[in-house]
Amino acid sequence: MDKFEIHGGAPLEGGIAVSGAKNSALPALAACLLTADPVVLDRIPPVRDIHTMEKLLEHAGARVTIEGEQVTVEADAVQNAEAPYDLVKTMRASSLVLGPLVARCGRARVSVPGGCAIGARPINLHVAGLEQLGATVRQEHGYIEAEAPHGLEGAEVHFDRITVTGTEDLMMAAVLARGETVIHNAAREPEVVDLAALLTKMGARIEGAGTSVIRIQGVAKLRGARHAIIADRIETGTFLIAGAITRGDLHVTCCEPDHLRAFIAKLRSAGVEVSEPVPGTLRVRCGPKLRSVDVTTEEHPGFPTDLQAQFMALMTRAEGISIITETIFENRFMHAQELARMGANIRLEGRQAMVAGPMPLSGAQVIASDLRASASLVLAGLAAQGETVIDRVYHIDRGYDRIEAKLARVGARIRRL
Ligand code: EPU
């Protein structure tokens, strides 16, 4: 199993480029199942979850051609409307093929995702939404079997709580349904807007993406399209913290600052200098003193749960007590114990973490438990004195494109073992 070895203390300096967003590329690839024409997607990050989604598409019968960061999907024949357990167990976002497969084939068989390190993460809301569009859904032998042999019918859907992939799944089902679908309490994430942009290029009629009410007029057929995926806002945020925590001077390029306003505001309140020298670039430097600030994770446009672990690493270096409240997932503090092994002073109480600082971090052997927790340990390792060895970095490879190579180019002493 791969590990990272990090010698901390080097300030990061120079330019570091952001890749395409994993969480936008995943639904975009699933959307390719909605048309028989080729769809060309640019800026697809070569990360493990994307390879899993490509395997899912191939399993369904699509041809997937990868040329660098460009991926072409040709789903002229979908013979197998199934997402098997072996693929779903490695990536929960596999449930994103449920909506497109029912819309395209009139049926789908998707393995039920099991538990996850960060929370239970059920997909009951995806299923309830599809049922409201007229699908018959039953769960048997660990699989969700959905059927709509005569096609889906538009409907009013009210999500009980905001779900990102649930919103995306239902949008992809509704674009080929008869009549109008209105999704209330929809997710407003930039990835939802990006999916709507792709589907619109394919001929779908969608209004309101980016707001909490999305209206979709179903069409009979979708066509091929070409689309470039948006910048990864979570990778952007991770690099901003890397610049701040190492007291460096980093230009994070090819990013979209508007997708990260709540996060950037928190960095500034903590005393981090963030400027936008040119459109699409953020420059980050640490001010004279890092101050503790409280954060509560929220759905977009609030502070993203996917940056909570990385922000906690930064707060170990800030003066005062920071209260970090996680509201999206019930078990997303696995990094806290590992940060404590590196010298952090963190107390957990239910969904809150109290981080007292500044504490000197010292390199240690730690274990990555999930994707964003691994990123937080890398950040702590960059700031720590001495050597940090992070085990199980396959978690980080799920969502970051060669993070160690990108960080090494701006001065980090990090290598893969
Ligand atoms: N939920 C339900 N029922 C459902 C769906 C969700 O109860 O049917 C609950 C979840 O258990 C959770 C909350 O609703 O407590 C929100 O979950 P959501 O559905 O929004 O999460 P997701 O769509 O499964 C996406 C990202 C996650 C990110 C969350 C929240 C993708 C592929 N994944 O997951 O990304 O944390 O939204 O923003 O888009 C990551 O990249 O590290 C990651 C975990």
Side-chain angles (χ1 to χ4, degrees):
M1 245 184 271
D2 287 7
K3 297 178 184 180
F4 282 163
E5 181 189 271
I6 304 172
H7 289 269
L12 302 192
E13 278 162 10
I16 190 165
V18 172
S19 299
K22 167 195 75 109
N23 287 350
S24 208
L26 288 171
L29 286 163
C32 298
L33 291 171
L34 289 165
T35 176
D37 295 343
V39 178
V40 181
L41 298 172
D42 295 304
R43 209 181 180 191
I44 296 286
V47 300
R48 208 156 53 89
D49 276 5
I50 295 297
H51 300 316
T52 305
M53 182 56 88
E54 288 161 353
K55 279 191 214 150
L56 267 174
L57 299 183
E58 284 173 340
H59 182 86
R63 281 188 305 284
V64 180
T65 314
I66 304 167
E67 284 171 67
E69 294 190 353
Q70 186 181 82
V71 176
T72 304
V73 182
E74 292 162 279
D76 42 346
V78 178
Q79 301 107 351
N80 197 2
E82 191 195 68
Y85 176 66
D86 280 351
L87 293 174
V88 177
K89 76 171 187 223
T90 65
M91 184 184 67
R92 307 180 53 80
S94 306
S95 50
L96 277 168
V97 299
L98 185 60
L101 286 176
V102 183
R104 175 86 187 272
C105 309
R107 57 174 291 273
R109 189 166 179 270
V110 173
S111 174
V112 181
C116 168
I118 63 175
R121 307 186 74 185
I123 58 164
N124 58 311
L125 300 174
H126 303 227
V127 169
L130 279 178
E131 284 176 333
Q132 281 165 71
L133 297 198
T136 309
V137 185
R138 58 177 201 280
Q139 190 177 324
E140 248 173 33
H141 310 302
Y143 276 79
I144 286 173
E145 308 218 2
E147 278 183 354
H150 307 296
L152 296 165
E153 289 277 353
E156 296 260 338
V157 177
H158 294 257
F159 276 126
D160 281 349
R161 67 175 290 178
I162 298 175
T163 159
V164 179
T165 51
T167 301
E168 293 162 348
D169 219 357
L170 207 64
M171 275 167 68
M172 291 188 277
V175 287
L176 290 180
R178 280 184 297 276
E180 184 180 71
T181 298
V182 186
I183 307 177
H184 298 270
N185 203 22
R188 293 178 285 166
E189 268 63 6
E191 293 76 18
V192 171
V193 179
D194 199 30
L195 174 63
L198 166 64
L199 292 170
T200 303
K201 286 181 190 170
M202 293 167 71
R205 294 172 57 201
I206 303 173
E207 273 172 29
T211 76
S212 52
V213 181
I214 301 178
R215 284 178 189 276
I216 299 166
Q217 309 291 335
V219 296
K221 212 173 157 197
L222 294 180
R223 55 178 180 266
R226 181 164 180 182
H227 182 72
I229 299 300
I230 55 171
D232 195 311
R233 62 195 165 100
I234 307 304
E235 191 191 25
T236 306
T238 305
F239 291 158
L240 289 176
I241 294 181
I245 204 169
T246 61
R247 299 197 157 267
D249 182 355
L250 209 52
H251 283 75
V252 181
T253 62
C254 313
C255 66
E256 183 45 82
D258 278 344
H259 294 168
L260 274 170
R261 289 295 167 204
F263 172 76
I264 292 170
K266 281 292 174 192
L267 282 183
R268 287 182 174 143
S269 317
V272 177
E273 289 171 18
V274 184
S275 60
E276 298 179 40
V278 287
T281 293
L282 287 166
R283 179 181 186 187
V284 62
R285 281 169 299 173
C286 198
K289 206 175 206 179
L290 261 183
R291 294 182 292 272
S292 64
V293 287
D294 296 343
V295 303
T296 298
T297 61
E298 280 169 18
E299 292 89 357
H300 194 76
F303 188 100
T305 172
D306 290 344
L307 283 169
Q308 177 259 106
Q310 300 89 318
F311 200 80
M312 190 182 290
L314 182 68
M315 286 299 98
T316 66
R317 313 292 299 131
E319 188 158 327
I321 294 179
S322 159
I323 300 178
I324 298 179
T325 309
E326 171 60 53
T327 70
I328 308 294
F329 293 111
E330 59 273 23
N331 190 29
R332 211 175 197 182
F333 283 143
M334 307 265 279
H335 43 283
Q337 289 90 336
E338 299 303 296
L339 290 173
R341 300 195 65 249
M342 298 176 71
N345 182 355
I346 303 172
R347 202 170 80 209
L348 297 182
E349 268 177 31
R351 290 200 165 196
Q352 288 194 322
M354 262 82 54
V355 187
M359 294 298 286
L361 296 176
S362 64
Q365 287 206 359
V366 288
I367 295 185
S369 55
D370 72 76
L371 169 56
R372 308 304 172 184
S374 336
S376 125
L377 298 178
V378 168
L379 294 169
L382 293 176
Q385 271 195 341
E387 183 183 286
T388 296
V389 176
I390 307 177
D391 204 351
R392 301 200 190 160
V393 295
Y394 60 83
H395 286 294
I396 210 163
D397 295 330
R398 288 187 42 208
Y400 288 87
D401 173 15
R402 291 160 295 127
I403 190 167
E404 78 282 14
K406 286 192 184 187
L407 291 171
R409 278 199 291 274
V410 288
R413 291 174 298 198
I414 177 170
R415 66 186 181 118
R416 187 181 285 262
L417 303 178

